[in-house]
Structure formats: C-alpha cells, structure tokens
Amino acid sequence: MKRRFNYSTIALSVCLSLASTSSFSAETKSSDSAKYADIERIISIGTRISNRTVADSPAPIDIISAKAIKNSGATSIPDMLRKLAPSFNMNNTTTSDGQDLMRPATLRSLGPDQVLVLINGKRRHQQAVVAVQENVGRGSAGTDLSSIPMTAISHIEILRDGAAAQYGSDAIAGVINIVLKGDEGGTVWAQYGQTSEGDGESTEFGGNYGLALGTKGMLNLTFEYSDSGEINRATPTDWFGSIDEPRQLLLVGEAATEMTSLWANFSYDIGESSEFYAFGGYTTKEGESLGFYRPAADDRVWSALFPQGITPRLGSKSEDFSLAAGFKTQIGEWDFDASLVTGENRFEFSNLDSLNASYGPDSPTSAYDGALVYSQTTFNVDAVTEVDLGFYYETSIAFGFEYRIDGFAQEAGDMVTYARGNTLCAESVNPSGDPTMTNCTGDEITVPGMQGFQGYSPAMEIDTDRDSFAFYFDTETSVTEDWLITGAVRYENYDDFGSTVIGKLSTHLSLTDSLAIRASASTGYRAPGMQQANFTQRSISLDNGELADLVTLRPNESLAGELGFSDLQEENSTNISFGVVYNEGDFSSTLDIYQINIDDRIVYSGNISRGINADIDAFFDRHSGANQALDGVKNVSIFTNAIDTETFGLDWVNQYTQTLSNMDVVYELSYHHNNTQVSGINTSSAMVPDEIIFNHAQELLVEKAQPQDKAALSAMFDMDNWSVTARMTYYGEVTSASYGTEETTWGAKSLFDVTAQWQVTDNVSISGGILNLTDEYPDEWGDNGGFFPQIGFKYGWTSFPFSLSGREYYMRASYNF
C-alpha cells in the first residue's frame, strides 16, 4: 500500500515538506465549516505523508486561514499572530530606536532569533537591526514579519517544536511558514481605522490579482499601502521644573509609520513532471519617533538653537527585498528541488531635529546617521523518494545540501552625527559658545555626536560575510497502521565557529480511533547572528536617571579582548515534548508539554563602567581621553555567550464546530503556559563579574517580561451573508525592572474584539469591528517607576504584550473579481 508524499513546497534547508495551497482542506471527520476556524485541523507541516491532519501529526502545528487573518482586524502579521496563535507573543516597544519599527516577535517566549521564518517553505532573511534596549528581545535580531503584506498570504503554518535538525539554525523554538497566494482571481480593498482617543488614524488599501499563464503557469501579484498615525499615551510633564507649562515631551505608544509593499508569486510547468517557480517582494517602511527631552539649560543643548529645550526627533527607514527561484523535477522515483533564495534588509537612521553640542550654537539640526544592512543568499538541492522496507506504508527518505552566505554591513553617517566639533566647553561655563575656551573639565565638557541617535563613524564601518554549508538526511515510516516514527540528522559547518551535528526523533501512536499520543526529542543549535558579532554603536541611554553615553563593543575587536571577552560561539539546545491528541466528530483537543534547555545563549551585557574593579578602571583610563575610543563614554556593553536557560511549557488547543439550522459556529479555546528560568551564568571574561554581564533586570526580561500564561477564547458565527467573530485574549502578568527601576509586576489583562463581515453581493463585502472593546490598558507604573512617571511614562516602558492604543475601530470594504 503506497501513499504519495507532498513535495510541492519542499523547504530549501529541511527534510520536511510543507502543505501546499492545493491541499489546504478541512479534516474529513469535521464539519466543512471548520475551514473558517482560526486554527484549523488540516494537512500539517512536519510530515512526508499526504492528507495527514494536524491530529495525526507527530508535532503540534497551527494552521491560520486567510479568513481568520482577515477577520482579526489586525494590520500586520505580528499583531494578527498575537491574537490567533497561542504561543506567539509580540511586545509593544516604545522610545527604542529601530525597534519601534521592528518590534520583537517570539514563539514559546524564547528569543526573536530562536524562531525560523519561511516563505513558501524557503528560509527568510532576518532584519538588520539588533535590539540593544532594555526590553523583550534584548540582544537579538529576529525576522521582520511586518514587512510581508497580509494581502499576499494564503495561510500561515506554525510548527511548535524544536526543528533545527530539519530546518537548520534558528529553529529552536519552532518554525513559522507563510504561504503566499497562488490562485486566480483578484481582490481590491480599503480600510480605515482610529482609536477612541482620536489618534492613531490609519488608512490602508491593497490589491491581489492572480492570472493564469496559458494552461501551464500562474502569476499572483500583490500591492499594499498603509499610513498609520502616531499613538501617544505619554502624560504631560514639566520635566522637573525645567519648563513653565507641562506638556507631552515623549512618545509613549506607537510612532507614525508609512509602508508600501509589492510582492509576486510565480510558477510554470515544464513538461509533465517539472516546474519552474519564483516569488519575492519589496517592502519599504518609514517611521518617526522621539528620544528623551533635553532642557534648554542642559549642557547637551545650546539655548540659542533650542530656547525651549528639545526632544530629538528621529527618523528610520527600512527597505526589504527578497527573491527566490527554483526548479522542481522528477527523475525516476526521486523528486528533486533546486533553488536559490536571496534577500536583504537595509535600515537607515537619521536625526530630523537634533544637534551636536560640541559644534556649538551653529550645529546643524538634521543629518543622516548611517545604515545597517543584513543579507542572506541560500542555495539548496533537495531530493526525496519512497522505498518499500516491509513496513505498513512505504518509507519516505529525504536528503539534501545547503550552502548559505550571511552578510552584514554597517555604513557611516554624516560627520556631524558622530564627530567632536571644535567647541569643548558647554553652555553652563561658555554661554557664547566660544571655541577657543578650553578651561573646563568633567560634565562641563561637551559630548560629541548628535543627541537622540549618534551616527556611525567610519571607524565603525564594516562589510563582512560568513559562509556555511549543511547536509541532512531524514526518514519517516509507519511501523504499523497506527504507529509513525520519524528521524532526522543534520551536519552544518560555519567558517567562523566550526561545525555541529544535531538530530531529532519523533513518533505518533494512535491508541483508538479518537485518541493518540505523540512525542519528540531533538538537539538543536543557533549560529551567532551576524548582527551580534559585528554591530557597534555609540548611543545615549539612561543610567540611574541620567543620560549617559554608551559604546557597544564588537566581540572580536581589541577593546573586547582587553576586557577578557572571546569570539561568539553557537547556542546549543535540547528539546523534549509529549502530546495527547483527541479527535471525535466535530470536537478536537490537543495538549502538548515541552522542555527546552539552551546552553550558551548570547546576551547583550549590562553596563560596564568605572568603579567595578581596578582592572576596569585602568581600561577606561587608557581609552577615555579626548578623541580616544571612549571619549565622553560612561559605559560599554558587548554581545557574549553568557547564560543557560530551561523552559517548561504547555499548549492546549481545542476546537468545536456546531452546525445549526441557519448557521455554522466554530468555537476555539487555547491556553499557553511558559516558565523560563536562567539556570546558569557563564561569561568568558574573568575581569567583568557575572552580575554585571547579566544582572537581575536582564534576568527578568528573559524569565518574566513575556506573559507566562496566555489564553484565547473565540466564536465565529457563519451565516448566509454574514459572519461575526467574538474573541477574548488573556495576557498574564509581566514583570520587569529596567533602567534602574524597582521590580514591578503589571497585572493580567483580557482584551475583547468583535468583528463582522457582510457579503453584500457575490463581489462586494463590507467588514468592520471594535478592537479592545473595553478600552483596556496596562496597569499604571506608580511609585515603582521612580522618576519615569514624572517624565511621561504612565504605563511603564519595556514589557507590554499588547498595544497602548486602547479601544480601536475599523471599517473595510472589499471587491472580489
């Protein structure tokens, strides 16, 4: 007895095939209305066998449909997944430079760079920006999911299991595969929304059109545009009496953004058993945000330029490009897939309203700060077949080769953004800005570089890359009709840190027609990010309530060596999971328990400064003179392998479909629990103490800054011309202690969304909804926030799992053709 396997979307770097759009159908035991569910029971990723349902999979998998995406009311993939996927989190950062445009998204509360993202089964490049602020995702550079237009998406598959042995680096927490539309027909739509506070006005429109190319090909095109206004929940402040009338001086919320995307998906049959395919897109995003206010009397400001002081206004721009091309064919009993994927993210910074105090009162007030560029090119050859080894079904065998080049570049900005000008003494002792005055010391000396965001200097420039190659083998067989076993092994070699061998075993056993168990055990790894290994900057941050200059050291530079740090190494992981699956009629339930241990996780260290010990004091003495590497610098930080973590969690997902006389109703209930503990701190430096490398505040960011409990309850009512979805999302409490504040716990919150769609005609539909119906906000910071509530941070800063927008309304009109 033979079952053919899916190979239409074989991942370039994996040993698993992914469910194609053509096989996107409901499980036969469930009602047809289940196709409208948020998380559907359909053919899963993680298997070679065709027509396998999620309930039969050896790994937990979520499938999120196009209709669920549309009904979520979200305007970006991260926001949508936060509502619909139980183990997915995205924190709303604010006043965090590039992170305001690329917010950290995580799976199972691990790092943003510990989840792998695929497009049509192909590895997606990461973002260029690495997080260095004291918020969730600190020290990592994930994948910018918001750069992928939702209009282009057919559905999304989420594999919640360690999968590095199958997919390579980054797949420690799991895999998110975004499948693009590939069908004929088209749609155009427009959406408008705003908050109940009257801000955050957003206008969006887009279109998708698929056309047949004769009888053998298909081309699907997507265009999307969005313009979102600023959402600001900062409270008015007089900034400790520095201004007469309190006013809003900070941005606490969401910056204004503008995004444009153009994507395409193409395939063409060649002969009876071959196909050429290509897909990719271009997305550009621009945003503005604010830094911290500098009073007119501050020595970082010249009152002749800014008599009212200044809140530096910052600009950021992201350009994201990707292109994949490949060829599939069948030779004998073997199916081959050869492909080349290339992608790049370029992120530019600029000061739109600022100054360089060391240039005196004639300082320019705007300038270009420089850019970060991350690129990735991947070549793969994959082969898969089935052989008869005497088991119940034929055994699938797959092997392949991958060659990848990861690149990182850092480009310098305008000189005024980083340089020291010829005005040494600040306004407090030099009111006229006389450049000949030099008899000043300590805090009276101006700091070089522009306020808000200091640009990258030529000394910081770098353009480097890393090569790696991999071989993998996997197999899948049904020992009996009810017992499935799969295995995978992978060898990878990197030219900067060496090689690794990892593996995975998983199984699924049906106990009855309705009840099954599944389990997996795997080892994994994550290669050091090119951003972590090569990024440097000079920035201005808060240190015990005062603005202080901070330099990020590259791990492989001489200054890092003087402090005792060594080059970055890979992170290593073990992942064990066990699950129970129940499926009876229109009801299904899955419960999966997992344990993920990670050794040598890379972190971004705490502030290394004078006063820790004599060796560090001597280090600063050697490099702190005028025009030296640490001129005007109080703190340095570095990326380093430093911690071991242990994560225990469970995911419980339930679905019930009810068919009534005039409607179908799909109910969903999901619950996610996660508990991560730092089990060890092991820095490579003997000079810098462990408690400096990884302090209590950073420990909280890893352990408690994301909700340990998250639940969602939804009901979708589908009638002839109407569909209505009601959803409650529960976010458990979060705790943090960033920037010198006391440890603070923000209470759990439940957000309610109601959306509806009216099919006016066969071609026209109108939809809308109210998001966060009860206008829920995080708890206020209170006394634990120290001075932060006094300057505008009413709701805290670093660890919020939902938006500060409050209640939102939106309306959408669509035309299908």
Side-chain angles (χ1 to χ4, degrees):
M1 184 175 184
K2 185 175 184 178
R3 290 188 179 179
R4 292 298 294 169
F5 48 88
N6 284 337
Y7 66 94
S8 59
T9 54
I10 297 176
L12 291 175
S13 60
V14 306
C15 60
L16 303 176
S17 63
L18 303 176
S20 67
T21 305
S22 62
S23 63
F24 192 66
S25 59
E27 184 180 353
T28 56
K29 286 187 177 182
S30 64
S31 165
D32 288 342
S33 64
K35 65 185 178 182
Y36 299 122
D38 290 352
I39 301 174
E40 300 179 273
R41 299 176 295 177
I42 63 167
I43 293 176
S44 66
I45 61 175
T47 180
R48 291 288 181 184
I49 305 299
S50 297
N51 301 317
R52 186 177 300 284
T53 66
V54 167
D56 296 328
S57 169
I61 298 162
D62 303 331
I63 309 296
I64 301 178
S65 68
K67 188 174 181 71
I69 293 171
K70 182 178 178 181
N71 284 349
S72 69
T75 57
S76 69
I77 291 178
D79 189 34
M80 176 270 298
L81 290 178
R82 180 166 56 181
K83 297 173 184 288
L84 303 184
S87 60
F88 183 92
N89 281 304
M90 180 187 73
N91 273 52
N92 275 69
T93 60
T94 185
T95 318
S96 298
D97 301 333
Q99 284 185 271
D100 291 354
L101 210 62
M102 295 179 170
R103 292 193 166 94
T106 68
L107 203 61
R108 290 185 163 179
S109 293
L110 296 180
D113 52 8
Q114 291 167 336
V115 55
L116 176 64
V117 177
L118 310 174
I119 305 291
N120 283 354
K122 311 300 181 183
R123 177 179 283 266
R124 174 75 172 171
H125 61 272
Q126 292 180 327
Q127 65 196 40
V129 175
V130 60
V132 293
Q133 302 291 351
E134 290 193 29
N135 44 34
V136 172
R138 176 180 169 92
S140 65
T143 301
D144 182 20
L145 292 170
S146 65
S147 66
I148 305 163
M150 295 209 299
T151 309
I153 299 173
S154 166
H155 61 281
I156 298 176
E157 305 162 325
I158 302 177
L159 173 62
R160 291 181 276 116
D161 196 21
Q166 301 152 319
Y167 291 75
S169 178
D170 308 338
I172 290 177
V175 180
I176 299 174
N177 180 46
I178 299 171
V179 181
L180 303 178
K181 291 177 180 177
D183 50 359
E184 294 184 50
T187 181
V188 292
W189 61 273
Q191 180 170 313
Y192 174 82
Q194 78 172 44
T195 73
S196 59
E197 295 291 323
D199 59 2
E201 186 176 32
S202 64
T203 302
E204 300 152 83
F205 56 86
N208 173 267
Y209 181 62
L211 66 155
L213 303 177
T215 60
K216 295 184 178 182
M218 175 279 303
L219 176 63
N220 190 280
L221 300 172
T222 297
F223 172 79
E224 191 169 295
Y225 172 83
S226 67
D227 186 0
S228 301
E230 178 184 287
I231 296 172
N232 196 349
R233 299 294 174 262
T235 52
T237 173
D238 65 2
W239 208 268
F240 311 108
S242 61
I243 59 175
D244 295 332
E245 294 293 331
R247 64 178 188 268
Q248 216 173 36
L249 295 175
L250 300 179
L251 173 60
V252 180
E254 300 182 21
T257 58
E258 184 177 11
M259 184 174 75
T260 303
S261 294
L262 180 63
W263 280 60
N265 189 19
F266 167 82
S267 66
Y268 195 85
D269 294 335
I270 302 172
E272 296 183 358
S273 60
S274 300
E275 178 190 68
F276 174 76
Y277 61 89
F279 59 87
Y282 173 79
T283 297
T284 179
K285 292 192 296 181
E286 294 188 56
E288 292 186 13
S289 61
L290 300 178
F292 279 89
Y293 176 71
R294 277 78 164 161
D298 195 296
D299 279 343
R300 295 174 179 267
V301 179
W302 289 95
S303 57
L305 277 175
F306 299 104
Q308 302 299 318
I310 182 175
T311 301
R313 189 163 58 95
L314 314 173
S316 54
K317 179 180 181 180
S318 170
E319 291 184 323
D320 202 287
F321 167 79
S322 64
L323 177 64
F327 180 73
K328 299 174 184 176
T329 191
Q330 188 172 14
I331 302 176
E333 293 297 313
W334 287 89
D335 297 305
F336 289 89
D337 184 350
S339 57
L340 182 69
V341 183
T342 187
E344 179 182 283
N345 176 244
R346 177 183 178 86
F347 203 97
E348 298 179 349
F349 297 93
S350 58
N351 277 284
L352 305 178
D353 195 14
S354 183
L355 81 159
N356 183 332
S358 69
Y359 273 55
D362 296 325
S363 169
T365 58
S366 63
Y368 170 67
D369 289 304
L372 304 174
V373 184
Y374 178 81
S375 61
Q376 185 178 89
T377 299
T378 309
F379 171 73
N380 280 87
V381 177
D382 302 89
V384 59
T385 190
E386 288 186 336
V387 297
D388 189 352
L389 297 180
F391 295 110
Y392 192 80
Y393 298 118
E394 290 196 344
T395 300
S396 76
I397 295 175
F399 66 87
F401 168 78
E402 174 183 292
Y403 176 72
R404 191 167 81 244
I405 303 173
D406 298 290
F408 179 79
Q410 187 165 349
E411 301 175 1
D414 295 336
M415 180 180 291
V416 66
T417 66
Y418 60 81
R420 169 171 289 285
N422 61 1
T423 303
L424 182 66
C425 297
E427 184 170 0
S428 60
V429 295
N430 184 18
S432 65
D434 183 0
T436 64
M437 182 178 179
T438 58
N439 57 338
C440 52
T441 59
D443 292 340
E444 298 170 352
I445 297 177
T446 58
V447 292
M450 296 196 83
Q451 297 300 303
F453 192 97
Q454 292 175 306
Y456 306 138
S457 69
M460 297 178 178
E461 285 192 309
I462 194 171
D463 189 352
T464 186
D465 56 44
R466 173 179 67 195
D467 296 349
S468 66
F469 65 87
F471 297 95
Y472 73 81
F473 171 84
D474 100 332
T475 184
E476 177 177 335
T477 189
S478 293
V479 179
T480 69
E481 182 178 9
D482 299 318
W483 186 18
L484 170 71
I485 297 177
T486 72
V489 63
R490 187 181 186 93
Y491 169 83
E492 297 231 10
N493 183 278
Y494 286 75
D495 66 6
D496 58 351
F497 73 84
S499 61
T500 183
V501 178
I502 52 178
K504 180 176 182 179
L505 287 172
S506 57
T507 187
H508 180 282
L509 177 63
S510 296
L511 303 177
T512 69
D513 289 343
S514 303
L515 183 65
I517 57 175
R518 60 191 178 196
S520 70
S522 64
T523 58
Y525 80 104
R526 189 190 73 83
M530 292 292 288
Q531 306 92 321
Q532 295 169 322
N534 297 286
F535 173 74
T536 183
Q537 74 168 2
R538 179 172 177 146
S539 59
I540 303 171
S541 187
L542 286 171
D543 184 10
N544 294 321
E546 296 182 354
L547 293 175
D549 283 46
L550 164 73
V551 165
T552 300
L553 304 178
R554 288 188 174 119
N556 60 356
E557 69 174 292
S558 60
L559 290 179
E562 287 186 40
L563 288 172
F565 292 100
S566 58
D567 291 350
L568 297 179
Q569 301 297 315
E570 76 275 19
E571 301 173 349
N572 294 287
S573 67
T574 58
N575 190 312
I576 299 174
S577 65
F578 176 81
V580 178
V581 180
Y582 180 79
N583 184 13
E584 181 64 38
D586 292 327
F587 174 73
S588 69
S589 180
T590 63
L591 176 65
D592 292 277
I593 301 172
Y594 60 89
Q595 177 77 32
I596 305 171
N597 295 344
I598 308 175
D599 293 336
D600 301 320
R601 285 181 66 167
I602 297 171
V603 304
Y604 183 64
S605 77
N607 292 339
I608 304 168
S609 58
R610 293 180 183 273
I612 297 173
N613 57 46
D615 290 335
I616 295 176
D617 288 349
F619 167 81
F620 275 92
D621 288 341
R622 290 193 297 271
H623 302 289
S624 295
N627 294 311
Q628 296 295 311
L630 303 181
D631 176 12
V633 172
K634 182 178 182 181
N635 305 306
V636 299
S637 289
I638 191 170
F639 293 93
T640 179
N641 297 87
I643 65 170
D644 304 332
T645 61
E646 298 178 356
T647 299
F648 171 81
L650 65 87
D651 292 312
W652 184 39
V653 180
N654 303 271
Q655 182 187 99
Y656 174 65
T657 303
Q658 183 180 26
T659 302
L660 304 176
S661 58
N662 62 342
M663 73 172 71
D664 293 321
V665 186
V666 178
Y667 305 94
E668 299 273 359
L669 171 63
S670 65
Y671 170 68
H672 170 76
H673 173 76
N674 185 285
N675 182 21
T676 295
Q677 298 292 323
V678 175
S679 57
I681 303 176
N682 305 288
T683 175
S684 61
S685 172
M687 183 185 301
V688 184
D690 288 348
E691 61 269 19
I692 298 298
I693 296 296
F694 194 76
N695 57 33
H696 180 60
Q698 294 183 74
E699 186 175 25
L700 289 175
L701 288 177
V702 172
E703 294 184 345
K704 296 183 178 181
Q706 299 186 76
Q708 292 184 308
D709 297 285
K710 179 184 173 185
L713 175 64
S714 67
M716 174 182 260
F717 305 86
D718 191 68
M719 295 158 276
D720 289 339
N721 297 320
W722 281 89
S723 66
V724 178
T725 300
R727 177 180 298 104
M728 182 277 290
T729 306
Y730 168 86
Y731 300 96
E733 65 183 27
V734 295
T735 302
S736 64
S738 299
Y739 297 103
T741 60
E742 295 183 26
E743 181 175 326
T744 303
T745 296
W746 283 271
K749 301 293 179 179
S750 295
L751 274 63
F752 296 86
D753 299 339
V754 178
T755 64
Q757 177 177 308
W758 175 33
Q759 195 69 41
V760 182
T761 69
D762 290 342
N763 305 104
V764 178
S765 64
I766 297 175
S767 59
I770 305 175
L771 310 178
N772 193 355
L773 179 67
T774 57
D775 200 26
E776 200 69 57
Y777 284 91
D779 295 340
E780 296 183 15
W781 206 333
D783 294 338
N784 283 358
F787 70 90
F788 280 101
Q790 300 177 53
I791 63 174
F793 283 98
K794 178 180 180 180
Y795 298 110
W797 189 354
T798 61
S799 54
F800 294 128
F802 57 89
S803 171
L804 293 176
S805 58
R807 185 187 298 115
E808 298 179 80
Y809 310 94
Y810 79 93
M811 288 292 296
R812 179 186 182 109
S814 302
Y815 178 77
N816 300 315
F817 55 95

